[in-house]
Amino acid sequence: MVGNASRAAIISDRRITGLSVDVIAELVSEIGPLWHERHEARLTPRPRKRAVGAGAKHRLVFVDRLLAALVHLRHGVTHDVLACWFGVDRSTITRTIGEVRPLLAERGYPVSPDVRLRSLADVVDHLGASGSTGIIDGTEIRVRRPAAGRKDRDKFISGKNKQNAVKTMIVTDGEDRVLWCSPARPASCADITHARQLGLVKLLADGPAVEIFTDAGYQGLGAQTGGRVITPPHRKFKKNAPDWYEEVHERQRKAHSSRRIRVEHGIAHLKNWRSLARHLGRRGHISDTVPAVASLLSHQQIGTWTRHRRREHRPQRSSRRLTAYRARARKGCPVNDHLTSTAGGLPSRQPGLTRPALSTYVDEMGNQVLLACGMAAGPLFTVAYLLQGASRVGYRPFRHPVSSLAFGRAGWVQTVNFLLAGLLSLVFAVGLWRVGFSRWGALLIGAWAVGLLGAGAFRTDPVANSTGFGPPAFGERA
């Protein structure tokens, strides 16, 4: 059983599971009850000698089971390594992954917090309702070579890569988001044949009007679907093509490729999960592995896409102020990065700052004021106690502490100096915390500020002095 510290490290670091903390929390709340329900259903119907729930308890709770499955899918970690990491037997990890993986595969593909796609028909309806463009392409996943003497052994040999693999069809939209993955089939099946077997032609011919971009491997589907499948432009001149045709054909080919490249990005995101880069387990598990990874990736992309959309809808600064910030950045002046960068180029000119932009500007100016207060705290404090020490009879800066200046008729000046320096230092610590430059630095400076405030609020003990510097007369000038 993994400890709380290790569990927190796995959840908080996205590099381990490939998912954010929020997505993992949603998975636990969604899949946990399903796992417990299936576990109880498996125990109840069979004849038993003792009641359900009796006997030894699970050493691996459901959260740890989910994390083990996610780490296995993300990095392809062997069951032996996971067993050592989680402190259980290898058979427990094997059984855990076998139970969680089908639950992940059955979740569907989230496209919004309330909508999930579970079939190719749902994808076509979603594209038609949203007016989006779909992009389709096939990808191959290397698998273990079938045993000798098996009748369908040659079906897994890819005609393109000459390797043992399985093929799946990926559907994405124009923003790299994975919408659906088909069940895996032996790699000897052609892309267009796979699409026809999935019923894509019938769905597009009878369904809503949508545009589907494909590569040259799907030539012929455009005529069968009434032009809804758009393939690369066909080359009419095989030989001796005129110069004008070469230029037009190349422009059309690049325009089609620039729109179709999104599906390649989606496939690359899928292949970042090591279990799909090369599947080393049983070929029968690939049918659950592909939709499980695609569902997790789609869920994570929804959260990332939603955050990006929120950032895009934020009002931006006026172009004049943005130009001024960029000019300061070129001169080497310290300017925050988020003040000198925009999404999609320069913003349009505006007659003035809108209310949200004005509040953002005020926040930035407030941070600068807080930091400026901290920069002024040190020099003011030093100059104040040096002037007081020079005006006091018998004060020796290398012998007497600065806090001893709080005695005498003019002692209130040093008390105010302590309080003002502490207040400015505390404001500086707040500014550092808001900017996020150094959390530990902000905490240490805050502690220093609290100490200065304490020195001003509570006067120090008198200092014994043979020259007469002390509380009785405290260095009054003659």
Side-chain angles (χ1 to χ4, degrees):
M1 179 178 177
V2 68
N4 292 330
S6 300
R7 185 185 299 112
I10 297 173
I11 295 176
S12 61
D13 196 342
R14 184 173 171 180
R15 295 174 298 177
I16 299 179
T17 61
L19 304 175
S20 62
V21 179
D22 297 336
V23 174
I24 295 178
E26 293 176 4
L27 290 176
V28 172
S29 61
E30 176 186 351
I31 302 179
L34 297 178
W35 179 84
H36 286 286
E37 182 180 352
R38 291 193 179 185
H39 179 70
E40 294 295 334
R42 187 169 57 252
L43 296 178
T44 303
R46 63 184 182 183
R48 305 181 58 86
K49 294 184 178 180
R50 52 185 175 182
V52 176
K57 306 300 180 182
H58 288 300
R59 296 184 58 190
L60 206 62
V61 297
F62 174 74
V63 177
D64 296 339
R65 293 172 182 267
L66 178 62
L67 294 178
L70 293 178
V71 173
H72 172 72
L73 293 175
R74 178 65 176 176
H75 298 284
V77 182
T78 60
H79 296 183
D80 290 326
V81 174
L82 290 175
C84 296
W85 191 1
F86 285 86
V88 294
D89 191 72
R90 179 184 180 277
S91 60
T92 303
I93 296 296
T94 302
R95 183 171 58 255
T96 294
I97 296 176
E99 294 174 353
V100 176
R101 184 171 48 205
L103 295 176
L104 296 175
E106 296 171 1
R107 296 180 60 245
Y109 304 88
V111 294
S112 68
D114 301 329
V115 179
R116 291 192 180 184
L117 308 178
R118 302 184 182 275
S119 63
L120 186 57
D122 295 341
V123 175
V124 175
D125 294 339
H126 168 72
L127 294 176
S130 61
S132 304
T133 299
I135 311 173
I136 291 178
D137 196 9
T139 184
E140 295 180 354
I141 303 171
R142 292 184 60 184
V143 296
R144 295 163 57 183
R145 184 179 182 182
R150 183 171 174 174
K151 295 182 180 180
D152 57 349
R153 189 182 189 188
D154 296 337
K155 292 183 179 180
F156 291 92
I157 300 178
S158 170
K160 179 172 62 175
N161 296 326
K162 308 301 180 183
Q163 296 175 343
N164 293 275
V166 294
K167 177 175 295 184
T168 181
M169 189 177 73
I170 312 296
V171 183
T172 65
D173 58 4
E175 298 178 353
D176 302 350
R177 292 182 298 173
V178 177
L179 301 181
W180 186 71
C181 288
S182 69
R185 292 183 57 85
S188 61
C189 180
D191 291 344
I192 189 172
T193 304
H194 192 192
R196 288 169 177 167
Q197 293 176 351
L198 292 172
L200 179 63
V201 175
K202 181 176 178 57
L203 291 174
L204 293 179
D206 302 337
V210 296
E211 285 187 347
I212 303 293
F213 282 83
T214 62
D215 59 3
Y218 297 88
Q219 290 282 2
L221 289 184
Q224 297 179 4
T225 58
R228 297 181 180 180
V229 174
I230 303 175
T231 56
H234 183 67
R235 188 177 183 88
K236 298 181 180 180
F237 294 91
K238 299 296 183 181
K239 297 180 180 179
N240 302 326
D243 296 338
W244 62 268
Y245 178 78
E246 292 288 349
E247 182 179 356
V248 172
H249 177 76
E250 186 67 15
R251 189 185 307 115
Q252 294 176 350
R253 187 189 64 82
K254 287 185 177 180
H256 182 276
S257 178
S258 63
R259 299 192 65 178
R260 199 196 64 84
I261 194 63
R262 300 293 184 177
V263 71
E264 302 295 344
H265 296 166
I267 294 175
H269 293 323
L270 285 173
K271 294 297 182 70
N272 283 336
W273 293 68
R274 186 59 61 88
S275 57
L276 296 186
R278 182 175 182 180
H279 186 69
L280 300 178
R282 295 183 179 181
R283 289 184 304 277
H285 295 163
I286 196 67
S287 299
D288 291 335
T289 303
V290 173
V293 173
S295 176
L296 295 173
L297 177 62
S298 179
H299 196 163
Q300 180 61 46
Q301 288 176 338
I302 286 301
T304 305
W305 178 79
T306 304
R307 289 193 296 269
H308 288 334
R309 294 287 291 180
R310 291 175 180 173
R311 293 175 183 174
E312 291 176 1
H313 284 81
R314 290 178 182 174
Q316 300 185 7
R317 298 178 178 273
S318 63
S319 58
R320 182 177 301 177
R321 186 175 301 279
L322 182 62
T323 304
Y325 276 115
R326 287 184 172 176
R328 292 182 60 190
R330 285 194 295 268
K331 293 179 181 179
C333 299
V335 181
N336 292 338
D337 294 340
H338 66 278
L339 300 180
T340 58
S341 62
T342 56
L346 289 174
S348 59
R349 292 187 177 272
Q350 302 174 357
L353 291 175
T354 60
R355 186 175 300 274
L358 180 59
S359 62
T360 303
Y361 175 70
V362 171
D363 291 340
E364 295 297 335
M365 293 299 296
N367 292 337
Q368 296 180 9
V369 171
L370 296 179
L371 297 178
C373 291
M375 296 175 61
L380 288 177
F381 180 78
T382 304
V383 171
Y385 82 75
L386 287 179
L387 291 177
Q388 290 184 81
S391 64
R392 301 294 185 90
V393 177
Y395 176 76
R396 298 179 183 180
F398 294 101
R399 180 177 180 182
H400 302 105
V402 178
S403 57
S404 62
L405 293 173
F407 293 104
R409 295 180 180 178
W412 64 270
V413 178
Q414 182 58 29
T415 301
V416 173
N417 188 24
F418 274 124
L419 296 177
L420 182 61
L423 182 61
L424 293 177
S425 299
L426 187 61
V427 169
F428 181 68
V430 174
L432 281 181
W433 185 276
R434 292 180 60 179
V435 173
F437 178 74
S438 175
R439 300 290 187 179
W440 279 106
L443 293 176
L444 293 177
I445 294 177
W448 158 258
V450 172
L452 291 177
L453 293 175
F458 305 99
R459 194 167 58 177
T460 184
D461 295 334
V463 178
N465 188 355
S466 60
T467 62
F469 176 74
F474 193 67
E476 297 291 343
R477 286 190 177 276

